[in-house]
């Protein structure tokens, strides 16, 4: 792009989706090792914004030690005669897309969760100051969103200043989310879709409805509407809701059609309010993952900033890997924290009556939206660190999932005599998965929605195998 002649590296859509590994990074900004980081857009009166001004508070990139992580705040202040506060969320989310256009620069996540890396090669080419990063943002904001007449950008890396501004940023996000609550999916005839994350997950489309916030937690239905209006050719677009096919699961004909088209046929059906069969896809930016725990027939939820291992022994990163990539994985569901405040939150699966474990910090954040009769029955890392402890906790508190165990035991007992007679030659289910890749003879065979049964299952250790 010729408008970036004064930037020492290339800038363009081809760099979207570029990953920078730890060994290749010059510096990290924000990320999981630091608590306080944020990016925030504010709409200001015309006279309070100096167009093109770029400010750096704290050390610049060239003053940072190679291989280290630094706190960061990115503040985008914009003004325009028709620019409204309601567009702040839209402007803010563009930071993700625009920064990823820069060669050797990676931006992940959103809001208070941002994770940025600058690659060594880009640094060696001369990308050694936030001034360049600010210039790219400035030029893209002005050329892509003409509604913005003036914009100034501030990078804050001084740890004390980031810490000071962080609570204000959190408050702004909460106020924005609160405004978007109340409207119901049934009350609108348009939903919104976002494909900003297709650079990382090509078969992912976020379907944003009034009651299902985007996975990243950065785009509400109102933001979607505003974004599609001011930038109709941008990554956010309207979806005609179409016919309601299944109210409980949240299936709409218009959603199916749009998702099929936007994923080139990879995803044909989406059920918005469930984590099973045809769940909403997950890119990689989700704030949290709901994961099914078959032993207790309930869901655990873990958010990105949870540092320990969850109740099933896996950390967020492993669960996120099982969920991400634009796939529909049975029992794994990437989502926003705000979705947990919605009445449609996993509604087809039992909603909060099905949630059995979540980090204490998340529980505190969404407590007011958990039905009173179940809130004390959901364990946190303080109540249960493994499945056995979780089972005992749920039983002791009489969590609603316990009734499912009892119902199942009764059904199994009833069915037992029939099973006993059919035991000889009976088929045992050995695997079931939404997508099951098998490598054979140089080919990769992908089974969709597979359930595999076998007459006999032989489990042999690799050591035994070698001996024989
Ligand atoms: S998570 Fe969804 S809504 Fe958020 S930027 Fe990615 S595709 Fe768009």
């Amino acid at each position: 792009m010729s408008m970036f002649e004064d930037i020492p590296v290339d800038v363009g859509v081809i760099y979207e989706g570029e990953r920078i590994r730890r060994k290749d990074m010059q510096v990290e900004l924000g990320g999981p090792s630091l608590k306080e980081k944020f990016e925030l857009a504010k709409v200001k009166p015309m006279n309070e914004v100096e167009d093109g001004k770029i400010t750096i508070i704290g050390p610049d990139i060239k003053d940072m030690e190679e291989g280290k992580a630094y706190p960061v705040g990115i503040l985008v202040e914009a003004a325009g005669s028709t620019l409204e506060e309601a567009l702040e969320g839209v402007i803010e989310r563009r930071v993700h897309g625009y920064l990823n256009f820069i060669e050797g620069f990676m931006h992940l996540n959103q809001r208070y969760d941002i994770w940025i890396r600058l690659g060594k090669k880009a640094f060696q080419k001369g990308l050694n100051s936030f001034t360049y990063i600010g210039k790219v943002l400035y030029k893209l904001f002005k050329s892509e969103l003409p509604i913005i007449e003036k914009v100034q950008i501030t990078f804050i890396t001084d740890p004390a200043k980031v810490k000071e501004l962080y609570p204000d940023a959190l408050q702004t996000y909460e106020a924005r989310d609160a405004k978007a609550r109340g409207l119901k999916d049934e009350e609108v005839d348009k939903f919104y879709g976002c494909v900003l994350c297709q650079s990382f997950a090509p078969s992912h489309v976020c379907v944003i409805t009034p009651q299902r916030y985007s996975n990243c937690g950065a785009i509400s239905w109102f933001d979607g509407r505003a974004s599609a209006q001011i930038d109709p050719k941008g990554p956010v677009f309207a979806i005609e809701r179409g016919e309601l096919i299944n109210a409980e699961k949240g299936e709409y004909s218009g959603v199916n059609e749009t998702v099929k088209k936007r994923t080139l046929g990879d995803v044909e059906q989406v059920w918005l309010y469930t984590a099973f069969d045809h769940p909403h896809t997950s890119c990689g930016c989700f704030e949290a993952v709901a994961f099914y725990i078959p032993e207790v027939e309930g869901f655990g939820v873990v958010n990105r900033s949870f540092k320990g291992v969850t109740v099933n022994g896996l950390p967020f990163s492993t669960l996120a890997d099982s969920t991400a990539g634009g796939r529909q994985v049975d029992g794994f569901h990437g989502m926003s924290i705000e979705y947990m405040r919605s009445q449609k939150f996993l509604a087809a699966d039992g909603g909060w009556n099905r949630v059995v474990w979540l980090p204490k910090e998340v529980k505190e954040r969404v407590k007011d939206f958990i039905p009173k009769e179940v809130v004390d029955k959901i364990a946190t890392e303080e109540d249960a660190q493994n499945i056995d402890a979780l089972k005992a906790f749920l039983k002791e508190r009489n969590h609603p999932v316990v009734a499912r165990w009892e119902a199942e035991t009764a059904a199994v007992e009833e069915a037992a005599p029939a099973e006993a007679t059919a035991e000889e030659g009976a088929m045992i289910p050995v695997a079931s998965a939404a997508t099951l890749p098998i490598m054979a003879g140089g080919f990769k065979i992908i089974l969709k929605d597979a359930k595999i049964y076998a007459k006999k299952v032989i489990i042999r250790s690799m050591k035994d195998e070698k001996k024989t």
Side-chain angles (χ1 to χ4, degrees):
M1 291 188 194
S2 59
M3 69 178 177
F4 298 112
E5 271 161 2
D6 53 346
I7 308 296
V9 293
D10 231 6
V11 179
V13 285
I14 56 159
Y15 299 104
E16 267 194 311
E18 186 186 15
R19 292 276 174 179
I20 295 167
R21 307 268 162 225
R22 176 165 291 281
K23 65 175 178 34
D24 302 321
M25 87 184 188
Q26 179 66 27
V27 287
E28 183 166 89
L29 303 161
S33 64
L34 296 163
K35 183 168 182 281
E36 282 115 1
K37 61 257 178 180
F38 65 88
E39 64 194 9
L40 185 67
K42 287 269 184 197
V43 170
K44 295 260 169 156
M46 283 288 218
N47 60 355
E48 287 182 28
V49 177
E50 191 183 321
D51 194 33
K53 184 174 157 197
I54 293 157
T55 312
I56 305 162
I57 304 173
D60 199 356
I61 297 173
K62 51 180 158 313
D63 309 318
M64 294 177 167
E65 213 178 300
E66 187 183 319
K68 285 221 154 168
Y70 291 82
V72 72
I74 303 175
L75 185 61
V76 177
E77 291 165 296
S81 45
T82 54
L83 198 58
E84 295 166 11
E85 202 185 290
L87 289 167
E88 285 179 351
V90 176
I91 297 169
E92 194 174 287
R93 195 58 187 139
R94 290 300 171 97
V95 174
H96 173 65
Y98 296 164
L99 289 185
N100 279 320
F101 286 174
I102 305 174
E103 178 191 357
F105 204 74
M106 177 185 86
H107 177 288
L108 301 175
N109 312 333
Q110 68 297 314
R111 290 186 171 179
Y112 56 87
D113 241 353
I114 50 171
W115 186 359
I116 297 168
R117 275 181 179 172
L118 167 67
K120 279 182 192 159
K121 276 192 197 150
F123 180 77
Q124 281 150 14
K125 278 189 179 177
L127 191 67
N128 58 10
S129 172
F130 287 111
T131 309
Y132 295 125
I133 312 291
K135 275 187 185 174
V136 173
L137 283 179
Y138 171 76
K139 288 179 185 189
L140 284 168
F141 272 124
K142 292 295 289 281
S143 64
E144 303 265 316
L145 299 177
I147 194 168
I148 296 177
E149 290 165 46
K150 287 172 157 190
V151 60
Q152 64 186 27
I153 296 149
T154 308
F155 295 90
I156 307 136
T157 55
D158 172 10
K161 195 73 186 162
V162 174
K163 201 169 182 169
E164 181 195 320
L165 297 175
Y166 177 72
D168 292 345
L170 294 188
Q171 236 171 40
T172 310
Y173 306 139
E174 166 54 26
R176 220 186 269 160
D177 293 346
K179 265 191 211 156
R181 283 173 208 147
L183 190 63
K184 294 197 164 58
D185 287 1
E186 299 80 17
E187 293 166 356
V188 299
D189 51 14
K190 277 193 181 71
F191 293 156
Y192 293 91
C194 179
V195 290
L196 199 65
C197 293
Q198 282 200 342
S199 47
F200 294 96
S203 59
H204 174 71
V205 179
C206 261
V207 180
I208 307 162
T209 79
Q211 290 179 287
R212 196 186 185 288
Y213 225 89
S214 66
N215 281 4
C216 56
I219 305 185
S220 69
W221 181 86
F222 288 97
D223 294 333
R225 186 177 65 174
S227 186
Q229 271 165 5
I230 61 165
D231 185 18
K233 291 196 184 126
V236 180
F237 50 88
I239 298 177
E240 290 300 333
R241 206 187 63 170
E243 184 200 331
L244 176 62
I245 301 170
N246 187 324
E248 190 207 353
K249 298 197 178 346
E251 183 176 14
Y252 294 90
S253 62
V255 170
N256 285 344
E257 279 159 29
T258 306
V259 170
K260 188 173 175 188
K261 198 167 122 201
R262 293 277 180 161
T263 63
L264 304 178
D266 219 20
V267 179
E268 297 191 350
Q269 215 178 346
V270 174
W271 292 350
L272 295 170
Y273 317 138
T274 173
F276 295 116
D277 295 318
H278 303 287
H280 188 285
T281 53
S282 305
C283 46
C285 292
F286 39 75
E287 282 182 292
V289 175
F291 54 99
Y292 188 59
I293 310 172
E295 294 91 333
V296 293
E297 297 185 47
F299 281 95
V301 174
V302 62
N303 62 323
R304 193 172 288 278
S305 50
F306 182 69
K307 293 276 185 293
V309 288
T310 64
V311 71
N312 67 1
L314 301 173
F316 172 84
S317 54
T318 310
L319 290 163
D321 279 350
S322 312
T323 312
R327 295 168 298 156
Q328 294 179 295
V329 190
D330 232 13
F332 288 89
H333 203 54
M335 60 187 194
S336 63
I337 300 287
E338 183 60 23
Y339 179 45
M340 299 170 78
R341 300 188 178 104
S342 161
Q343 284 177 352
K344 297 282 200 240
F345 167 56
L346 296 180
D349 306 326
W352 280 107
N353 283 348
R354 206 74 189 278
V355 177
V356 292
W357 187 95
L358 80 175
K360 193 177 167 212
E361 184 227 326
V362 179
K363 194 171 177 180
E364 281 306 314
R365 280 170 70 184
V366 298
K367 208 168 190 168
D368 294 345
F369 298 83
I370 306 177
K372 293 218 167 17
E373 61 284 5
V374 79
V375 67
D376 293 330
K377 299 176 180 177
I378 301 172
T380 70
E381 68 276 26
E382 289 180 356
D383 305 307
Q385 286 95 33
N386 56 54
I387 300 292
D388 285 342
L390 179 64
K391 267 189 186 164
F393 178 91
L394 298 172
K395 207 157 185 196
E396 185 214 313
R397 302 278 171 117
N398 196 23
H399 189 289
V401 293
V402 175
R404 286 175 180 265
W405 311 346
E406 284 157 7
E408 190 148 291
T409 314
V412 168
E413 274 166 12
E414 221 168 87
E419 263 180 24
T421 52
E423 197 180 345
E424 189 60 29
M427 303 284 264
I428 311 158
V430 289
S432 96
T435 307
L436 192 67
I438 298 170
M439 302 297 291
F443 290 97
K444 187 176 189 182
I445 302 164
I446 298 170
L447 303 179
K448 292 257 179 182
D449 296 329
K451 268 201 179 77
I452 297 181
Y453 288 80
K455 271 196 174 173
K456 205 173 186 185
V457 180
I458 302 167
I459 302 170
R460 225 186 249 169
S461 91
M462 301 293 273
K463 269 193 259 156
D464 294 344
E465 201 95 299
K466 273 185 196 153
K467 274 187 232 156
T468 52

